[in-house]
């Protein structure tokens, strides 16, 4: 079962993507069904490592700092890097990601957010 923080982070990222890239319902469905359907945000806790998360979109992946949202490494498309950075910089999202990293990821070693999995 997903924690409230994970559900909040998934909902926040899904809504941000839908608002960022679309103004009408048909465009929202196209985005949901195609490019971002398999999007994963993975938070892995490791001792002595700066809090970070990875994002996978299609065959592309990049790592980002939780504090500040900057890309550390990887090969996402520029518009996706920009979108993830803007989302992660928002205080509410940064705080959610940090709580997940500190509590859940530390215990489980990996937490995977899948904002477009509606199961």
């Amino acid at each position: 079962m997903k924690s409230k923080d994970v559900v909040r982070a998934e909902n926040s990222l899904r809504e941000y993507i839908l608002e960022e890239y679309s103004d009408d319902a048909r465009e929202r469905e196209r985005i949901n069904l195609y490019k971002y359907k398999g999007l994963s945000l993975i938070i892995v806790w490791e001792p002595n490592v700066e809090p970070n998360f990875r994002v996978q979109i299609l065959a592309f992946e990049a790592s980002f700092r939780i504090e500040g949202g900057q890309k550390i490494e990887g090969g996402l498309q520029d518009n996706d890097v920009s979108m993830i950075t803007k989302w992660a910089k928002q205080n509410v999202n940064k705080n959610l990601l940090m709580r997940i990293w500190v509590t859940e990821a530390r215990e489980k070693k990996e937490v995977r957010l899948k904002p477009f999995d509606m199961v």
Side-chain angles (χ1 to χ4, degrees):
M1 177 174 243
K2 294 180 183 179
S3 74
K4 289 180 182 179
D5 285 338
V6 169
V7 171
R8 284 184 190 124
E10 287 177 335
N11 290 340
S12 174
L13 182 54
R14 181 178 54 254
E15 289 303 313
Y16 187 83
I17 290 169
L18 292 175
E19 288 173 16
E20 181 82 3
Y21 284 102
S22 66
D23 292 329
D24 66 59
R26 282 183 294 186
E27 182 69 9
R28 286 183 184 189
E29 286 196 21
R30 186 185 67 74
I31 289 170
N32 184 340
L33 292 175
Y34 298 107
K35 183 174 184 180
Y36 296 106
K37 182 149 177 72
L39 181 145
S40 291
L41 188 149
I42 303 105
I43 302 171
V44 178
W45 186 88
E46 296 178 57
N48 305 315
V49 173
E50 178 182 19
N52 67 84
F53 62 94
R54 290 189 329 265
V55 174
Q56 295 174 333
I57 300 173
L58 300 173
F60 303 100
E61 181 176 320
S63 297
F64 297 81
R65 288 182 174 85
I66 289 177
E67 186 63 43
Q70 303 92 350
K71 183 176 95 165
I72 300 169
E73 64 181 359
L76 286 182
Q77 296 175 345
D78 289 344
N79 63 331
D80 292 327
V81 169
S82 176
M83 178 203 46
I84 295 296
T85 298
K86 287 178 192 174
W87 175 81
K89 280 184 169 182
Q90 295 177 356
N91 281 334
V92 66
N93 298 322
K94 180 171 51 176
N95 292 338
L96 278 171
L97 292 171
M98 188 58 80
R99 274 201 311 266
I100 293 167
W101 189 81
V102 167
T103 58
E104 295 184 51
R106 187 173 196 158
E107 180 182 313
K108 297 176 185 175
K109 302 298 182 224
E110 178 178 298
V111 175
R112 187 174 294 260
L113 285 71
K114 307 270 298 170
F116 289 100
D117 281 2
M118 303 300 193
V119 181

